[in-house]
């Protein structure tokens, strides 16, 4: 009886999470992005960007507003992926873009207008030992970038994933090796770093978890590795990969579930608080908050009805994004008050 009661309570705790549904924003009929759409980032104006613009692995483009080119890699073998914006020490806006093929990060500076292209593009950091990088996170207080990547094999081992940091001068340092790593994010107080880790066995995905570390943003050191969430025990979706992750200004962590058309939302304590369904996308790849108030969650991935195209779904008025909040504070702009807790304004509904 006690065992049965415990199992019942466990099931209740899992399914007590809110169920929200996003609204399609860019569909297969009007998208300018290919199926490898990824690396979502937001600038200080709340404009959302992603990679695989024009169905080119060398290009990143604007998602919201007009779909237009932001960046074109000079090297035709480049594979641009993660995007993050920052405000430098002089108050100017800059952007960092990962190149998974050439093991480097580009730094874009000298922006031409509030949401225009950048006039300068240089290699910010690189190291042949970096597996990719795939995704980026940033600690604005130190101008420090964190990066993850993977080597996908049928039987994963420690060393198929890595965690690196590049300081404000571009000096790269490896912080650790893991099974396959992908999503990466820093908490709003810059005291916690989140990293996804997945395992393969016999060609099948058998584990997906989120690791958390204590973070010293100034030095880049990470300590006290622990499991923040394990999808095998949480909701029996160990075989579904984690991809991009982002936090909001209150510290909640938003985690893409690449293959089941959902985003999982966690409180800083590790409690699962919500699932967001993406009606246009099964393989959710990346996400971030943008819009005029920085509260609209944009989620991207290949379109469900045409897997050669990249789609975008949105939940409006959900929460103030950490990146939007940080960028506006750093540039001296006004940070909007976050929306009320619970259900947001528009673009989703409880089930």
């Amino acid at each position: 009886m006690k065992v049965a009661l415990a199992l019942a309570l466990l099931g209740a705790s899992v399914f007590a999470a809110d169920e929200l549904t996003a609204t399609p924003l860019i569909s297969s009929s009007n998208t300018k992005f290919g199926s490898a759409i990824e690396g979502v980032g937001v600038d200080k104006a709340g404009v959302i960007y992603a990679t695989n613009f024009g169905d080119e692995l060398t290009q990143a483009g604007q998602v919201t507003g007009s779909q237009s080119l932001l960046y074109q890699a000079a090297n035709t073998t480049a594979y641009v992926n993660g995007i993050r914006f920052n405000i430098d020490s002089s108050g100017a806006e800059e952007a960092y873009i990962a190149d998974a093929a050439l093991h480097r990060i580009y730094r874009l500076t000298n922006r031409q207008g509030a949401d225009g292209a950048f006039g300068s593009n240089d290699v910010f950091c690189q190291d042949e030992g970096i597996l990719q990088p795939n995704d980026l996170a940033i600690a604005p207080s130190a101008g420090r970038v964190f990066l993850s990547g993977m080597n996908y094999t049928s039987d994963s081992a420690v060393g198929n994933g890595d965690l690196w940091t590049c300081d404000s001068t571009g000096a790269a340092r490896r912080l650790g090796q893991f099974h396959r790593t992908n999503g990466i994010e820093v908490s709003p107080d810059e005291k916690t770093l989140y990293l996804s880790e997945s395992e393969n066995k016999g060609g099948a995905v058998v584990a997906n978890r989120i690791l958390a570390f204590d973070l010293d943003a100034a030095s880049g050191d990470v300590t006290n590795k622990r499991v923040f969430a394990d999808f095998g025990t949480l909701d029996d979706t160990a075989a579904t990969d984690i991809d991009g992750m982002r936090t909001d200004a209150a510290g909640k962590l938003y985690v893409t579930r690449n293959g089941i058309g959902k985003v999982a939302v966690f409180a800083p304590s590790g409690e699962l608080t919500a699932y967001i369904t993406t009606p246009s996308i099964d393989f959710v790849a990346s996400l971030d908050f943008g819009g005029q108030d920085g509260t609209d969650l944009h989620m991207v991935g290949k379109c469900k009805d045409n897997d050669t195209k990249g789609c975008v779904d949105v939940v409006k008025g959900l929460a103030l994004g950490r990146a939007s909040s940080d960028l506006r504070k750093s540039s001296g702009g006004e940070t909007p008050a976050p929306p009320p807790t619970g259900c947001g304004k528009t673009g989703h509904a409880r089930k």
Side-chain angles (χ1 to χ4, degrees):
M1 179 65 74
K2 288 182 179 180
V3 172
L5 178 59
L7 290 173
L9 290 172
L10 177 60
S13 67
V14 170
F15 295 105
D18 285 347
E19 294 280 348
L20 314 176
T21 301
T23 299
L25 179 67
I26 295 177
S27 69
S28 60
S29 63
N30 65 2
T31 185
K32 294 184 179 180
F33 290 84
S35 61
I37 185 171
E38 245 271 29
V40 178
V42 63
D43 68 10
K44 69 178 182 181
V47 178
I48 293 287
Y49 300 84
T51 59
N52 202 212
F53 181 75
D55 200 19
E56 294 288 342
L57 297 178
T58 56
Q59 294 186 164
Q62 184 173 318
V63 170
T64 52
S66 63
Q67 296 182 62
S68 57
L69 182 68
L70 170 73
Y71 175 75
Q72 166 73 63
N75 194 314
T76 58
T77 63
Y79 186 168
V80 298
N81 209 338
I83 304 172
R84 289 292 181 129
F85 288 79
N86 187 48
I87 306 299
D88 70 15
S89 57
S90 71
E93 190 168 26
E94 60 187 6
Y96 296 94
I97 297 184
D99 186 335
L102 299 178
H103 315 290
R104 60 181 59 165
I105 299 173
Y106 303 107
R107 181 172 177 251
L108 281 55
T109 55
N110 189 24
R111 193 161 204 193
Q112 312 296 306
D115 60 354
F118 289 85
S120 301
N121 165 29
D122 300 294
V123 175
F124 169 64
C125 74
Q126 63 181 342
D127 192 297
E128 286 302 315
I130 297 173
L131 288 178
Q132 287 184 306
N134 178 48
D135 206 353
L136 305 177
I138 189 165
S141 69
R144 181 177 290 280
V145 178
F146 297 88
L147 45 150
S148 64
M150 73 171 82
N151 175 28
Y152 198 102
T153 61
S154 59
D155 291 281
S156 61
V158 172
N160 289 151
D162 60 0
L163 171 64
W164 289 69
T165 186
C166 298
D167 68 17
S168 60
T169 70
R173 175 166 61 100
R174 189 170 66 191
L175 300 176
Q177 293 181 302
F178 308 87
H179 289 271
R180 286 194 296 115
T181 52
N182 196 334
I184 187 170
E185 180 60 308
V186 172
S187 64
D189 61 7
E190 298 186 355
K191 293 182 178 180
T192 305
L193 183 137
Y194 300 102
L195 180 69
S196 76
E197 184 182 42
S198 307
E199 293 183 43
N200 297 350
K201 186 174 182 180
V205 180
V206 296
N208 265 274
R209 53 187 166 263
I210 304 167
L211 305 177
F213 304 82
D214 292 344
L215 172 64
D216 183 317
S219 68
D221 292 341
V222 292
T223 55
N224 190 27
K225 172 187 169 184
R226 56 201 180 272
V227 176
F228 178 78
D230 187 325
F231 284 101
T233 57
L234 180 69
D235 60 5
D236 199 28
T237 58
T240 300
D241 268 351
I242 301 165
D243 209 326
M245 303 193 298
R246 293 292 186 269
T247 52
D248 66 21
K252 283 188 176 181
L253 181 67
Y254 297 73
V255 181
T256 58
R257 308 297 289 121
N258 193 307
I260 57 174
K262 290 184 182 294
V263 169
V265 185
F266 293 91
S269 64
E271 177 191 1
L272 177 68
T273 63
Y275 288 109
I276 302 169
T277 297
T278 51
S280 304
I281 307 162
D282 279 336
F283 294 89
V284 193
S286 187
L287 73 175
D288 211 340
F289 291 88
Q292 183 175 357
D293 295 328
T295 60
D296 301 343
L297 181 62
H298 296 75
M299 297 151 283
V300 310
K302 62 183 176 183
C303 302
K304 187 184 298 187
D305 63 353
N306 183 342
D307 63 8
T308 68
K309 303 288 186 178
C311 282
V312 183
D313 287 349
V314 64
V315 179
K316 293 189 175 182
L318 182 62
L320 176 61
R322 180 190 73 90
S324 290
S325 177
D326 286 346
L327 289 166
R328 296 176 195 211
K329 286 177 184 176
S330 299
S331 61
E334 182 179 350
T335 299
T341 57
C343 209
K345 298 174 185 175
T346 60
H348 66 281
R350 295 182 189 272
K351 288 184 178 178

